[in-house]
């Protein structure tokens, strides 16, 4: 399997995780306290969302329809959890508003997806900057806690690919750069080459 294929698969997996994180962030911001601190519920909501959005990169996949189904299933799980703990079920208008917010993540420049995208990028950059990140992963940014375990796995894979390519290709590129920068064939030892003349 080539790095190109691995990276494409990683990107697709990451896109799915970002969508899941966006949905869950919307849900928990909308409902708040009554559903916080319940890891079993959080895992159910994550699993439901992940399953219904699986295959989202297929040309025949209808993401809007899938998100509609996601909202229906999430509201069902929420109402079950709430009523079991003597909270009232979600009012109809809240469910409609939740559906609108969740389905809006398909829109360009959606604030939730933009936030998740930025924090995911920050997390992966941190992976490249921290020594032994595979042993001690960087702290997870806010909003990504629901997908922490999956992001750590992808982060380790990403760093392994980057480091492998550094080891394999750096000698080749070092030679190319040395010739470009120092023009060994025409410069005498110890002299810096004259900068190239740039013409418009």
């Amino acid at each position: 399997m080539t790095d190109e294929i691995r990276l494409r698969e990683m990107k697709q997996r990451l896109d799915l995780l970002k969508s899941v994180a966006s949905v869950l962030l919307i849900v928990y911001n909308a409902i708040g306290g009554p559903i916080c601190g319940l890891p079993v519920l959080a895992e159910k909501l994550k699993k439901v969302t992940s399953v219904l959005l699986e295959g989202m990169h297929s040309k025949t996949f209808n993401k809007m329809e899938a998100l509609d189904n996601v909202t229906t299933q999430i509201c069902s799980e929420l109402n079950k959890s709430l009523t079991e703990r003597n909270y009232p079920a979600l009012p109809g208008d809240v469910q409609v508003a939740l559906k609108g917010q969740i389905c809006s993540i398909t829109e360009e420049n959606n604030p939730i997806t933009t936030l998740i995208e930025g924090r995911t990028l920050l997390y992966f950059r941190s992976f490249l900057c921290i020594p032994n990140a595979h042993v001690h992963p960087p702290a997870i940014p806010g909003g990504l806690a629901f997908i922490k375990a999956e992001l750590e796995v992808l982060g380790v894979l990403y760093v392994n690919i980057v480091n492998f390519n550094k080891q394999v290709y750096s000698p080749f590129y070092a030679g190319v750069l040395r010739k470009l920068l120092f023009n060994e064939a025409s410069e005498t030892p110890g002299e810096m080459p004259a900068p190239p003349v740039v013409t418009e």
Side-chain angles (χ1 to χ4, degrees):
M1 185 181 293
T2 66
D3 286 345
E4 181 183 358
I5 295 173
R6 288 192 184 94
L7 289 171
R8 187 185 306 121
E9 290 179 347
M10 287 173 60
K11 182 183 183 305
Q12 291 179 353
R13 176 62 176 160
L14 184 59
D15 287 344
L16 173 60
L17 290 173
K18 288 188 292 187
S19 292
V20 171
S22 296
V23 168
L24 295 182
L25 185 58
I26 288 169
V27 170
Y28 278 81
N29 281 344
I31 310 304
I35 62 170
C36 290
L38 301 170
V40 174
L41 175 62
E43 192 61 33
K44 279 184 180 179
L45 299 182
K46 181 170 79 170
K47 184 174 182 180
V48 164
T49 307
S50 298
V51 168
L52 291 176
L53 292 181
E54 191 69 44
M56 58 184 281
H57 293 91
S58 168
K59 292 181 179 179
T60 59
F61 189 85
N62 187 329
K63 191 171 183 180
M64 185 65 74
E65 181 180 326
L67 288 171
D68 191 14
N69 292 333
V70 165
T71 306
T72 300
Q73 291 300 315
I74 282 180
C75 286
S76 175
E77 292 291 345
L78 289 176
N79 285 333
K80 180 181 177 182
S81 175
L82 289 169
T83 55
E84 284 176 350
R85 292 177 292 114
N86 297 319
Y87 284 98
L90 296 176
D93 59 333
V94 172
Q95 296 188 46
V96 170
L98 198 58
K99 175 183 176 180
Q101 291 181 58
I102 288 174
C103 289
S104 73
I105 69 171
T106 59
E107 298 172 2
E108 189 175 358
N109 299 322
N110 176 275
I112 295 296
T113 55
T114 300
L115 175 70
I116 294 297
E117 177 72 32
R119 291 184 177 177
T120 303
L121 180 60
L122 176 65
Y123 183 69
F124 275 82
R125 284 178 175 171
S126 299
F127 247 101
L128 292 175
C129 297
I130 296 177
N132 300 318
H134 62 289
V135 179
H136 302 290
I140 200 80
L144 303 181
F146 295 111
I147 55 171
K148 178 178 182 290
E150 293 85 354
L151 283 184
E152 286 180 354
V153 172
L154 286 182
V156 170
L157 290 173
Y158 179 61
V159 169
N160 287 342
I161 290 175
V162 171
N163 289 338
F164 174 78
N165 280 277
K166 282 181 181 178
Q167 293 174 358
V168 172
Y169 296 110
S170 60
F172 168 75
Y173 285 113
V176 172
L177 290 172
R178 188 165 55 246
K179 290 179 181 179
L180 290 173
L181 293 173
F182 300 107
N183 195 13
E184 292 176 335
S186 59
E187 297 294 332
T188 57
E191 291 184 355
M192 289 295 293
V197 176
V198 179
T199 58
E200 296 295 335

